[in-house]
Amino acid sequence: MNRDTFAPLTFGVLVFDEVEVLDLGGPFEVFSTAGRLARTPAGEPLLRVVTVAAAARPVRARGGLKVVPDHTLDEDPPFDVLVIPGGVTTAVEEDAQVIDWLARRHETSALTFSICTGAFLLAATGALNGRPATTHWEDQDELAGRWPDVRVRRDVRWVDDGDIVTSAGISAGIDASLHIVGRLHGVELARRTARQMEYAWNSGDTPGGLRLRRDVAP
């Protein structure tokens, strides 16, 4: 089957103050690069990325980088894949509006993807209860302690559990993003994307990754 004939997919990325730059930028680069390489018959990107924030103002990422979001939670833009980067998530975990929005959009998205401590935000919605997940090695004990129903995996760079993919910290989000491109649109596009980025990536099930749900369509 020609993957480039698939309908375009939109990735909606939550952004917030103190988001980790590479947690946001790594997946953004992977998905937007794949979209430049693979086009619809009408010439549109096969993958596109939009950013969503709680308010209509720039957010300040860790280290001071400012990001201007495309949309707000109230605008609630349409997208297919929910992406939740990590960083310093304490304030976001306490924001009921954001957690409620994440819970609802997880239910309506074809796939939810958390990077690093983005798993804390996903756990706060209850979506990880009884399920395997991973996060940055430095935060695995806290994830397990605060959400004991989450089956924390400590030995992998990412976990694919069907409708939820979680990755370990920072650069591991790039590996998981390429895995997602391969799962949704074929390994060849993932390989082309990694080559375009000059990123060393092994096709298929990336070493260090764990795919648990093979009954889910790639």
Side-chain angles (χ1 to χ4, degrees):
M1 181 179 293
N2 182 358
R3 299 280 176 162
D4 286 11
T5 65
F6 279 22
L9 292 177
T10 299
F11 294 73
V13 184
L14 178 71
V15 295
F16 50 89
D17 287 331
E18 295 298 314
V19 65
E20 183 71 47
V21 172
L22 196 57
D23 286 2
L24 164 64
F28 189 101
E29 181 70 13
V30 170
F31 300 137
S32 61
T33 298
R36 293 199 305 271
L37 295 174
R39 308 295 242 183
T40 69
E44 297 296 319
L46 196 60
L47 298 84
R48 60 187 295 267
V49 186
V50 296
T51 53
V52 187
R57 62 167 180 81
V59 301
R60 185 180 292 273
R62 296 189 80 178
L65 178 69
K66 289 185 179 180
V67 178
V68 179
D70 297 311
H71 299 281
T72 65
L73 301 185
D74 287 340
E75 292 172 349
D76 202 24
F79 54 77
D80 307 287
V81 178
L82 172 62
V83 182
I84 311 171
V88 180
T89 60
T90 307
V92 189
E93 290 171 41
E94 296 172 354
D95 189 328
Q97 181 190 17
V98 176
I99 299 303
D100 289 348
W101 181 83
L102 289 173
R104 180 172 58 80
R105 293 311 301 258
H106 164 63
E107 290 296 327
T108 60
S109 296
L111 177 66
T112 297
F113 172 33
S114 73
I115 304 97
C116 194
T117 52
F120 285 34
L121 301 179
L122 190 54
T125 71
L128 291 180
N129 288 348
R131 301 185 65 164
T134 195
T135 187
H136 192 288
W137 62 267
E138 198 171 46
D139 302 293
Q140 290 169 353
D141 286 345
E142 183 178 356
L143 180 63
R146 294 177 60 192
W147 290 280
D149 289 337
V150 179
R151 292 155 45 202
V152 177
R153 293 301 303 257
R154 302 172 183 270
D155 55 345
V156 294
R157 286 177 67 76
W158 49 261
V159 176
D160 181 337
D161 192 37
D163 63 326
I164 294 177
V165 175
T166 57
S167 85
I170 312 178
S171 67
I174 298 176
D175 287 338
S177 297
L178 287 164
H179 166 75
I180 289 169
V181 170
R183 172 178 149 180
L184 297 177
H185 289 297
V187 172
E188 181 56 32
L189 179 57
R191 288 196 196 104
R192 289 167 57 202
T193 301
R195 178 173 173 77
Q196 184 67 28
M197 293 172 56
E198 299 205 64
Y199 183 76
W201 182 74
N202 292 303
S203 62
D205 285 344
T206 308
L210 177 66
R211 184 170 182 180
L212 297 170
R213 292 283 304 281
R214 296 182 180 277
D215 56 314
V216 176

